[in-house]
PDB file of all heavy atoms in Angstrom:
ATOM      1  N   ALA J 133     185.626 271.243  83.851  1.00 82.00           N
ATOM      2  CA  ALA J 133     186.010 271.291  82.440  1.00 82.00           C
ATOM      3  C   ALA J 133     187.166 270.331  82.156  1.00 82.00           C
ATOM      4  O   ALA J 133     187.165 269.615  81.144  1.00 82.00           O
ATOM      5  CB  ALA J 133     186.399 272.726  82.056  1.00 82.00           C
ATOM      6  N   ILE J 134     188.160 270.314  83.063  1.00 82.00           N
ATOM      7  CA  ILE J 134     189.295 269.409  82.882  1.00 82.00           C
ATOM      8  C   ILE J 134     188.829 267.959  82.946  1.00 82.00           C
ATOM      9  O   ILE J 134     189.234 267.120  82.124  1.00 82.00           O
ATOM     10  CB  ILE J 134     190.366 269.686  83.947  1.00 82.00           C
ATOM     11  CG1 ILE J 134     191.041 271.041  83.673  1.00 82.00           C
ATOM     12  CG2 ILE J 134     191.418 268.581  83.964  1.00 82.00           C
ATOM     13  CD1 ILE J 134     191.982 271.487  84.765  1.00 82.00           C
ATOM     14  N   THR J 135     187.973 267.655  83.934  1.00 85.00           N
ATOM     15  CA  THR J 135     187.454 266.291  84.065  1.00 85.00           C
ATOM     16  C   THR J 135     186.678 265.895  82.814  1.00 85.00           C
ATOM     17  O   THR J 135     186.832 264.780  82.291  1.00 85.00           O
ATOM     18  CB  THR J 135     186.550 266.173  85.306  1.00 85.00           C
ATOM     19  OG1 THR J 135     187.296 266.527  86.474  1.00 85.00           O
ATOM     20  CG2 THR J 135     186.021 264.766  85.459  1.00 85.00           C
ATOM     21  N   GLY J 136     185.829 266.808  82.322  1.00 83.00           N
ATOM     22  CA  GLY J 136     185.071 266.534  81.105  1.00 83.00           C
ATOM     23  C   GLY J 136     185.972 266.346  79.908  1.00 83.00           C
ATOM     24  O   GLY J 136     185.746 265.463  79.066  1.00 83.00           O
ATOM     25  N   TYR J 137     187.006 267.177  79.820  1.00 81.00           N
ATOM     26  CA  TYR J 137     187.963 267.106  78.720  1.00 81.00           C
ATOM     27  C   TYR J 137     188.664 265.743  78.697  1.00 81.00           C
ATOM     28  O   TYR J 137     188.726 265.060  77.669  1.00 81.00           O
ATOM     29  CB  TYR J 137     188.970 268.234  78.878  1.00 81.00           C
ATOM     30  CG  TYR J 137     190.011 268.324  77.800  1.00 81.00           C
ATOM     31  CD1 TYR J 137     189.757 269.030  76.628  1.00 81.00           C
ATOM     32  CD2 TYR J 137     191.257 267.723  77.950  1.00 81.00           C
ATOM     33  CE1 TYR J 137     190.730 269.125  75.632  1.00 81.00           C
ATOM     34  CE2 TYR J 137     192.218 267.813  76.966  1.00 81.00           C
ATOM     35  CZ  TYR J 137     191.951 268.508  75.813  1.00 81.00           C
ATOM     36  OH  TYR J 137     192.898 268.602  74.837  1.00 81.00           O
ATOM     37  N   LEU J 138     189.183 265.346  79.881  1.00 82.00           N
ATOM     38  CA  LEU J 138     189.898 264.082  79.976  1.00 82.00           C
ATOM     39  C   LEU J 138     188.962 262.888  79.780  1.00 82.00           C
ATOM     40  O   LEU J 138     189.364 261.855  79.243  1.00 82.00           O
ATOM     41  CB  LEU J 138     190.607 263.981  81.327  1.00 82.00           C
ATOM     42  CG  LEU J 138     191.717 265.011  81.566  1.00 82.00           C
ATOM     43  CD1 LEU J 138     192.252 264.896  82.978  1.00 82.00           C
ATOM     44  CD2 LEU J 138     192.847 264.836  80.553  1.00 82.00           C
ATOM     45  N   THR J 139     187.716 263.039  80.227  1.00 85.00           N
ATOM     46  CA  THR J 139     186.740 261.954  80.054  1.00 85.00           C
ATOM     47  C   THR J 139     186.459 261.698  78.580  1.00 85.00           C
ATOM     48  O   THR J 139     186.409 260.540  78.126  1.00 85.00           O
ATOM     49  CB  THR J 139     185.430 262.293  80.788  1.00 85.00           C
ATOM     50  OG1 THR J 139     185.695 262.438  82.190  1.00 85.00           O
ATOM     51  CG2 THR J 139     184.394 261.197  80.591  1.00 85.00           C
ATOM     52  N   VAL J 140     186.281 262.773  77.814  1.00 84.00           N
ATOM     53  CA  VAL J 140     186.042 262.609  76.378  1.00 84.00           C
ATOM     54  C   VAL J 140     187.244 261.948  75.711  1.00 84.00           C
ATOM     55  O   VAL J 140     187.100 261.026  74.899  1.00 84.00           O
ATOM     56  CB  VAL J 140     185.741 263.972  75.718  1.00 84.00           C
ATOM     57  CG1 VAL J 140     185.654 263.824  74.210  1.00 84.00           C
ATOM     58  CG2 VAL J 140     184.432 264.538  76.245  1.00 84.00           C
ATOM     59  N   ILE J 141     188.446 262.429  76.069  1.00 82.00           N
ATOM     60  CA  ILE J 141     189.658 261.831  75.504  1.00 82.00           C
ATOM     61  C   ILE J 141     189.726 260.343  75.846  1.00 82.00           C
ATOM     62  O   ILE J 141     190.029 259.492  74.997  1.00 82.00           O
ATOM     63  CB  ILE J 141     190.910 262.561  76.026  1.00 82.00           C
ATOM     64  CG1 ILE J 141     190.987 263.963  75.422  1.00 82.00           C
ATOM     65  CG2 ILE J 141     192.180 261.782  75.697  1.00 82.00           C
ATOM     66  CD1 ILE J 141     192.130 264.795  75.953  1.00 82.00           C
ATOM     67  N   ASN J 142     189.433 260.023  77.105  1.00 83.00           N
ATOM     68  CA  ASN J 142     189.462 258.632  77.555  1.00 83.00           C
ATOM     69  C   ASN J 142     188.511 257.764  76.742  1.00 83.00           C
ATOM     70  O   ASN J 142     188.861 256.673  76.293  1.00 83.00           O
ATOM     71  CB  ASN J 142     189.065 258.579  79.033  1.00 83.00           C
ATOM     72  CG  ASN J 142     190.146 257.954  79.889  1.00 83.00           C
ATOM     73  OD1 ASN J 142     191.318 258.057  79.564  1.00 83.00           O
ATOM     74  ND2 ASN J 142     189.763 257.313  80.958  1.00 83.00           N
ATOM     75  N   TYR J 143     187.278 258.249  76.586  1.00 85.00           N
ATOM     76  CA  TYR J 143     186.274 257.461  75.875  1.00 85.00           C
ATOM     77  C   TYR J 143     186.594 257.349  74.389  1.00 85.00           C
ATOM     78  O   TYR J 143     186.266 256.341  73.749  1.00 85.00           O
ATOM     79  CB  TYR J 143     184.887 258.054  76.091  1.00 85.00           C
ATOM     80  CG  TYR J 143     184.303 257.728  77.452  1.00 85.00           C
ATOM     81  CD1 TYR J 143     183.642 258.690  78.199  1.00 85.00           C
ATOM     82  CD2 TYR J 143     184.414 256.453  77.992  1.00 85.00           C
ATOM     83  CE1 TYR J 143     183.106 258.389  79.448  1.00 85.00           C
ATOM     84  CE2 TYR J 143     183.899 256.141  79.234  1.00 85.00           C
ATOM     85  CZ  TYR J 143     183.240 257.114  79.963  1.00 85.00           C
ATOM     86  OH  TYR J 143     182.729 256.811  81.187  1.00 85.00           O
ATOM     87  N   GLU J 144     187.213 258.379  73.814  1.00 84.00           N
ATOM     88  CA  GLU J 144     187.609 258.285  72.410  1.00 84.00           C
ATOM     89  C   GLU J 144     188.691 257.218  72.227  1.00 84.00           C
ATOM     90  O   GLU J 144     188.637 256.405  71.306  1.00 84.00           O
ATOM     91  CB  GLU J 144     188.102 259.643  71.912  1.00 84.00           C
ATOM     92  CG  GLU J 144     186.978 260.638  71.634  1.00 84.00           C
ATOM     93  CD  GLU J 144     187.473 261.895  70.947  1.00 84.00           C
ATOM     94  OE1 GLU J 144     188.683 262.172  71.003  1.00 84.00           O
ATOM     95  OE2 GLU J 144     186.638 262.606  70.365  1.00 84.00           O
TER      96      GLU J 144
END
Side-chain angles (χ1 to χ4, degrees):
I134 290 172
T135 301
Y137 181 86
L138 295 175
T139 299
V140 173
I141 290 176
N142 238 30
Y143 283 137
E144 284 189 341

